Amino acid sequence: MARRRRRRSKQPDILSELLFPVVAGIALVLVVQRQLTGSIDLSVFEAAAPMYKLIALVIGLLLLLLVAGAVFRLLEQKMSRDALVRKQRYINDWFSMSPRTFEHFIAGVYEKRGYQVKEVTSYSADHGIDVVLKKDGKQYAIQVKQYRNQAIREKDLREFYGSYVSQGFDGGTFVTTSFYTRPARKWAKGVGMLLVDGDQLVKMVNKANGV
């Protein structure tokens, strides 16, 4: 299998493209002066000193930008690594919980977001509704699916929608640790159902914990 070539950073090329004309120009002036006069008189550059100072300043600023860019990339990479480690830790914690404990955990996340947890329903009579929330005089239904790699389909959402609409809830949110199929997302958008997948759940937990 052919190896993918790494793309080289363009920053050194930009710097060399700026430096080369300056150095080449100075060398050309010195060579021409040598040929015409038989000696090199550096006083020819004194009149152009302000220009050289400006060029030096520009080059210095470019070097500063290159260093700042490198530092920014290192920080960005570290933050990305930290986020991945945190996400994996969350996932490990989530799947170490029982389904019932995980439902209470989700209820706690929403409580930190300003919702009142009215009920975490019992398995015997939940009708597809695991958590009941209240906010601003309205009631919301939450269904929780603790899946690792199983996609949530449109059929799953339809069943949940029918359940919370028939019971008079003002809205519903489907929360999963996995992901949704494209048709499921499209259907949910059409009926105004909120969806939370694994990545969004990580962000919600981070925000709730002030991370």
Side-chain angles (χ1 to χ4, degrees):
M1 185 173 65
R3 292 184 179 178
R4 295 179 62 185
R5 293 183 178 179
R6 289 187 177 182
R7 296 179 62 183
R8 294 184 178 179
S9 172
K10 292 183 178 180
Q11 290 177 337
D13 294 337
I14 294 172
L15 187 59
S16 62
E17 286 173 6
L18 289 169
L19 285 173
F20 179 76
V22 175
V23 175
I26 293 172
L28 181 61
V29 170
L30 292 174
V31 169
V32 171
Q33 188 184 51
R34 173 72 176 179
Q35 293 295 324
L36 293 176
T37 65
S39 63
I40 295 176
D41 182 8
L42 295 179
S43 63
V44 71
F45 295 104
E46 291 179 359
M51 182 183 69
Y52 296 141
K53 288 180 180 179
L54 178 60
I55 292 172
L57 178 62
V58 170
I59 292 173
L61 289 174
L62 286 172
L63 287 171
L64 184 61
L65 288 173
L66 290 174
V67 171
V71 171
F72 177 78
R73 285 197 303 277
L74 287 173
L75 289 174
E76 192 176 43
Q77 290 171 4
K78 184 181 184 304
M79 290 174 64
S80 180
R81 285 196 300 270
D82 290 347
L84 287 173
V85 169
R86 194 180 302 115
K87 179 181 178 180
Q88 190 58 51
R89 186 169 65 245
Y90 285 156
I91 291 172
N92 292 339
D93 289 345
W94 294 342
F95 286 101
S96 68
M97 300 178 188
S98 68
R100 187 67 172 168
T101 301
F102 187 64
E103 289 171 4
H104 279 277
F105 169 76
I106 295 300
V109 171
Y110 275 91
E111 191 170 33
K112 290 179 179 179
R113 289 166 59 89
Y115 289 85
Q116 177 190 345
V117 179
K118 189 173 181 182
E119 183 183 4
V120 179
T121 59
S122 63
Y123 285 139
S124 58
D126 66 7
H127 302 291
I129 296 170
D130 300 313
V131 181
V132 177
L133 303 174
K134 190 174 182 180
K135 189 174 184 180
D136 300 329
K138 295 183 178 181
Q139 284 200 131
Y140 302 96
I142 305 289
Q143 184 168 132
V144 180
K145 290 298 181 186
Q146 192 182 16
Y147 293 158
R148 191 177 290 274
N149 295 312
Q150 181 177 337
I152 304 299
R153 302 164 299 166
E154 181 181 330
K155 175 179 176 293
D156 303 314
L157 302 185
R158 285 181 179 274
E159 291 174 355
F160 174 51
Y161 179 77
S163 182
Y164 76 73
V165 168
S166 66
Q167 294 182 60
F169 284 91
D170 296 290
T173 302
F174 202 110
V175 179
T176 182
T177 51
S178 60
F179 57 95
Y180 300 90
T181 64
R182 186 174 296 178
R185 286 189 177 278
K186 184 177 179 180
W187 186 85
K189 185 177 181 180
V191 298
M193 182 190 298
L194 299 179
L195 304 180
V196 176
D197 62 19
D199 290 337
Q200 291 169 308
L201 184 56
V202 168
K203 293 177 182 178
M204 285 175 59
V205 173
N206 282 339
K207 189 173 182 178
N209 293 334
V211 177

